[in-house]
Amino acid sequence: MMKNILLIGGSYGIGLAIAKELQFENNVYIASRSNENIADVKAIHIPFDATTDTLDTAQLPAVIDGLVYCPGSINLRPFKGLKPEAFEADLQINFISLVKVIQSVLPNLLASEQASIVTFSSVAATMGMPFHTSVAASKGAIEGFAKALAAEYAPKIRVNVIAPSLTDTPLADKFLNNESKQEKSAERHPLKRFGKPEDSAQMATFLLSDKSSWISGQIFHVDGGMSTLLVNG
């Protein structure tokens, strides 16, 4: 039986990679600002801006078996130059909008035999990294929230988090836009490469599937070993 999967943000980067993984064995709904990259993806597109819009649930099926929230930010600046408004903006896109989406589709998720929610954190939420105070704070909120939500809705809804390191997406382009930056990023990771969208997409696909039906409340570090392996010291 095909599952109904809702992707919040699926028109580029990791979200698009997830849509491509899911499209042939699931009914995929993509709620995103743009549909320019999904013409060849088997999915239903719903115009939606996570920062400003209210999700139109009338365009969704009554039963949602999987939800993936992909929007996020990479705001790397020295703490002394960050105004409180920057923290608020990162918290809004990464966390508050996630909460609003989940609340809006909660009845649809509860209608599933066992729904799966997948959210995205960052390696920076675990590791202390300079210039990451804002993004680490908002991603840390996601990790705490996901565990509490998983406990509250077990066994009906599973909730898991993927925490990647730097991944080659449009959001990270300024950090990987030349060969020198790419080489330095690859060298920082124990597995000697930076992430590809497919790395996180394959983990998300697993967490949405019945193969992960006994997994909930977990943080999965898809980060090339950065968060746990010290090989460059």
Side-chain angles (χ1 to χ4, degrees):
M1 183 175 175
M2 297 182 75
K3 294 178 180 288
N4 296 326
I5 309 294
L6 172 61
L7 305 181
I8 306 299
S11 56
Y12 67 89
I14 293 173
L16 179 59
I18 294 171
K20 290 179 178 179
E21 288 275 343
L22 295 172
Q23 62 180 323
F24 298 115
E25 297 182 6
N26 303 274
N27 301 313
V28 179
Y29 296 79
I30 298 175
S32 65
R33 290 176 296 179
S34 169
N35 65 351
E36 60 182 332
N37 296 318
I38 62 174
D40 297 328
V41 178
K42 185 185 174 191
I44 296 171
H45 180 253
I46 301 169
F48 177 69
D49 186 330
T51 60
T52 59
D53 297 342
T54 298
L55 187 61
D56 183 4
T57 56
Q59 299 187 60
L60 297 172
V63 177
I64 295 177
D65 303 294
L67 168 66
V68 186
Y69 184 88
C70 300
S73 60
I74 306 179
N75 184 13
L76 307 188
R77 292 169 56 193
F79 174 71
K80 65 180 181 181
L82 281 170
K83 295 183 178 180
E85 290 79 9
F87 284 85
E88 291 173 355
D90 277 346
L91 196 65
Q92 180 68 49
I93 183 62
N94 287 291
F95 178 60
I96 301 299
S97 294
L98 163 67
V99 171
K100 290 179 178 178
V101 165
I102 293 176
Q103 288 184 332
S104 68
V105 299
L106 188 57
N108 310 63
L109 292 166
L110 289 170
S112 175
E113 185 175 336
Q114 186 190 67
S116 174
I117 296 175
V118 178
T119 66
F120 284 89
S121 179
S122 165
V123 66
T126 298
M127 300 181 67
M129 306 172 92
F131 313 125
H132 283 69
T133 52
S134 183
V135 67
S138 60
K139 295 296 190 180
I142 290 172
E143 294 191 6
F145 166 77
K147 291 179 182 180
L149 190 69
E152 186 168 339
Y153 283 95
K156 194 65 175 174
I157 301 175
R158 298 185 296 111
V159 188
N160 292 289
V161 181
I162 298 172
S165 182
L166 189 62
T167 302
D168 189 11
T169 67
L171 193 64
D173 181 65
K174 65 181 178 181
F175 305 107
L176 295 169
N177 58 10
N178 62 52
E179 190 172 327
S180 175
K181 291 180 181 179
Q182 292 174 6
E183 289 176 355
K184 288 179 180 177
S185 177
E187 190 60 30
R188 291 178 63 216
H189 294 82
L191 296 185
K192 301 306 176 189
R193 70 169 174 86
F194 48 83
K196 302 174 186 176
E198 293 75 17
D199 295 320
S200 292
Q202 288 162 10
M203 177 58 79
T205 300
F206 168 69
L207 292 173
L208 292 167
S209 76
D210 292 337
K211 293 178 181 179
S212 63
S213 62
W214 208 42
I215 298 174
S216 190
Q218 303 301 312
I219 315 297
F220 291 91
H221 292 275
V222 184
D223 60 12
M226 177 176 281
S227 61
T228 54
L229 307 179
L230 180 60
V231 300
N232 297 320

